[in-house]
Structure formats: C-alpha cells, structure tokens
Amino acid sequence: MSTVQDHITFWNGEKMPIVGLGTWLSSKEEIQTAVNSALEAGYRHIDTAYVYLNEGAIGEVLQEWIQSGKIKREELFIVTKLPMTGNRSENVEKFLRKSLENLRLDYVDLYLIHAPVGLTGKDDNDIFPLNADGSVVLDMTTDLVDIWKSMENQVDSGLTKSIGVSNFNEEQLGRIINNARIKPANIQVELHTQFQQKSLRDFCEKHGITICAYAPLGSPGRNAFYTGLGIDSPISIPDLLQHPVVARIAKKHNKTNAQVLLKYLMELGIAVIPKSVNPERILANFQVFDFNLSPIDMAKLRELDLGEAGRTFEFTKSFKGTAKHPENPFPRV
C-alpha cells in the first residue's frame, strides 16, 4: 500500500486533498458529468477559476450533493481564482463574491491570484480582452503587493479559508512573502516529469508553502481550450503519457502511465489536479493510493526533467503581448 498521505497540510493547518479534479473550458454537461463522477469516485478537491466559465455548472452539482445530504460542505475543498482582469486591489472582493455566487457557496477553501499579469476588460465578462491585432489588453499598473493585501482581507471576512498564487515566479512569490500579513498557503504551477521545478520546490519548502501541480499529465487538451477562448496559439504539448520510461514503470506496477505520472509528483509531496471529463479516466486518476514507486522508479522519472526547456505554459506564447507587461512571470532569457 502507498505511504503517501491523502492530503497536504498548509501552514495554517488547513488540509488540501492531494488529488483533485482539474476543470477547464468544457460544455456544461461535460463539466457536470465530470464533477459528479469525481465526487462518486471519492474526490473532494475540485479546482476551478472565474475564467474557466464553469463555476455555475460546478455550483449546481455541489448544491445538489450538499442539499441531498450525500456530502457535507466541510468535506469539500474548493479552489477558485481571481481573473487577470481582476488584478486590482479594489476588484478582489467583487470577483470572489461573483465566484461564490456561481459556486453557490458561502466560502471557498483556497482563493488564488490566477496570474501576476493584469488585464483590462470592457466588463466583468470580458475575461481575455483582445486588441485588434490579437494581443491582450494589458493593465500596466499591476501592483501585486496591493492585490495581496486585498486577498488577506478576504480571509479576515471569511470568504476564503486560505489564499495563494498561481503562475508566479520565485521573485514575485518572495515579494508577496516579504510583504504579507497572511503568508501564501499554496502556489499552483505547471509541474510534470519534464518540468519538475526543482528550484521553486526548494524555495517553497524553505518558506513553508505547498505546491499544486496543474498539467501533471502534460495537458494534452490545452490547444482546444485556447481555441475555445478565441486564442489562436497552438502549442507543442509533451507526450508524457507515451514516454517509454513511464510506460515501463507502469507495466511493472500494473498501473496506467497516467497513474505513474501522478504518483511521482505525489511522492514529492505535491498535490495534483489532472483535468478530465471522461468518467473512466477520472476514476483511474484517483486510484493511485494502492502502490508505491521504488527509489529506482523515482530516480528514472527524475531524469526526465528538461528544466526550463520543459515549460509549456509560457505567457508570451499563449497570450500575445504579455512580454510587455512588467509582471510577465516567465520571460525567456
């Protein structure tokens, strides 16, 4: 049996289930099928965001489960995120309350700044505002410390139990830590076997901040997501699920390649949020607590790291024009 705990613990004592359901842009029917399947399989950690446009669909399912008595609110761990168009201190509470209304909840367990780059939309529904040339409409006045102070106020008011960031680099995270009254509990970043973020992991361990890995399987459906948002930016996606090293280890343990990729990160103490709308894959992604990876397995998977070359979520590629923003987190050197 696995020795990996089923949760990671924040510095404030809150516990995040180590396996969660990642959700992106999909139809209402797909999202609701996915969340129902996840809850039935035993998931209690659901990850969403204002910009995913699915909080309302998720909220309907959560309300049904809670009101029917099938689950208690305190058994769930719900994460959502402040959109880039909300990256101003005066907008934090407004967008959090919008998310809570969509989710039909009184509070979320974790609220994240989705990204450090600020955008300026025409209204609250203009989540990825574009100029005529296809570049995003930047807000060059983004003040991360000022935004963070508003995030702290949301903890004080009880609208969220914990706060954190997503897609921040070490310098930006350090700036928040150095100016925080309430320290970030978690950072959500791209992290998988070909992009293992060793430096960030060491930094977070030093400061007592937990990590949640998005795209732990490489995010094979991401280009379709961007197309759905009207962003024409095809990206080369790593085929982690077919990697021969992963396949050999999976065969040895009689597990799927995806289960090995997830378990590797879990063994490192990292939470994972694989995204799927397929009930069978959702169930399989949760069946990762009944086996251990050996030290040799871990060493083989550690060798797959490509360092910075393994990063695929690069803002300047996904969102044209972000290289000009002073808080662009991942400039190419």
Side-chain angles (χ1 to χ4, degrees), residues 53-313:
L53 303 175
N54 63 16
E55 290 174 323
I58 291 172
E60 289 182 13
V61 176
L62 297 181
Q63 184 180 58
E64 179 187 345
W65 275 69
I66 293 170
Q67 289 186 345
S68 69
K70 289 190 290 185
I71 201 166
K72 296 178 180 178
R73 168 63 184 96
E74 55 268 28
E75 295 173 329
L76 294 167
F77 193 98
I78 308 301
V79 184
T80 194
K81 310 175 189 78
L82 176 72
M84 289 188 281
T85 51
N87 274 355
R88 285 171 291 280
S89 61
E90 64 269 22
N91 286 345
V92 174
E93 181 177 344
K94 176 182 73 171
F95 276 102
L96 176 51
R97 287 188 180 277
K98 282 179 173 288
S99 288
L100 290 173
E101 182 180 359
N102 291 336
L103 290 164
R104 307 187 183 198
L105 298 174
D106 295 326
Y107 69 90
V108 289
D109 298 274
L110 177 63
Y111 195 51
L112 304 175
I113 302 175
H114 203 152
V117 173
L119 304 180
T120 301
K122 296 187 294 292
D123 54 48
D124 294 344
N125 297 317
D126 189 18
I127 54 176
F128 284 108
L130 299 177
N131 293 304
D133 64 356
S135 63
V136 289
V137 183
L138 299 174
D139 174 6
M140 304 297 280
T141 68
T142 304
D143 184 333
L144 297 180
V145 172
D146 197 37
I147 296 167
W148 188 255
K149 293 184 185 306
S150 287
M151 294 286 285
E152 293 172 328
N153 292 339
Q154 308 318 304
V155 179
D156 297 336
S157 66
L159 297 181
T160 183
K161 288 192 171 184
S162 301
I163 48 177
V165 299
S166 180
N167 297 304
F168 278 45
N169 62 32
E170 287 177 38
E171 185 278 327
Q172 292 166 330
L173 180 56
R175 205 186 322 154
I176 296 297
I177 293 168
N178 291 337
N179 290 279
R181 174 171 60 87
I182 300 175
K183 186 174 67 173
N186 182 260
I187 181 170
Q188 186 180 122
V189 290
E190 176 186 7
L191 207 155
H192 46 75
T193 51
Q194 290 191 349
F195 185 51
Q196 299 188 26
Q197 298 255 46
K198 182 64 165 62
S199 177
L200 178 66
R201 283 160 40 208
D202 290 344
F203 182 88
C204 289
E205 183 176 5
K206 175 183 176 182
H207 292 282
I209 296 171
T210 60
I211 299 175
C212 180
Y214 70 71
L217 306 179
S219 190
R222 192 184 336 155
N223 280 327
F225 170 69
Y226 287 142
T227 300
L229 291 174
I231 300 170
D232 185 16
S233 180
I235 293 171
S236 177
I237 307 297
D239 194 3
L240 306 182
L241 289 167
Q242 302 302 322
H243 198 288
V245 170
V246 176
R248 284 196 293 271
I249 294 171
K251 183 177 181 180
K252 181 177 76 170
H253 291 281
N254 195 28
K255 286 290 180 179
T256 69
N257 295 6
Q259 288 168 334
V260 168
L261 290 169
L262 296 174
K263 191 55 176 275
Y264 175 68
L265 300 183
M266 293 166 62
E267 295 272 5
L268 297 177
I270 297 166
V272 293
I273 46 171
K275 186 264 184 186
S276 180
V277 294
N278 179 293
E280 290 182 1
R281 285 197 291 269
I282 288 170
L283 176 60
N285 289 341
F286 199 69
Q287 295 174 329
V288 286
F289 295 98
D290 59 351
F291 75 109
N292 291 310
L293 295 175
S294 72
I296 293 176
D297 296 334
M298 294 293 289
K300 291 292 186 183
L301 292 167
R302 189 161 53 244
E303 291 172 358
L304 301 185
D305 189 17
L306 300 177
E308 187 61 29
R311 183 191 299 278
T312 65
F313 279 82

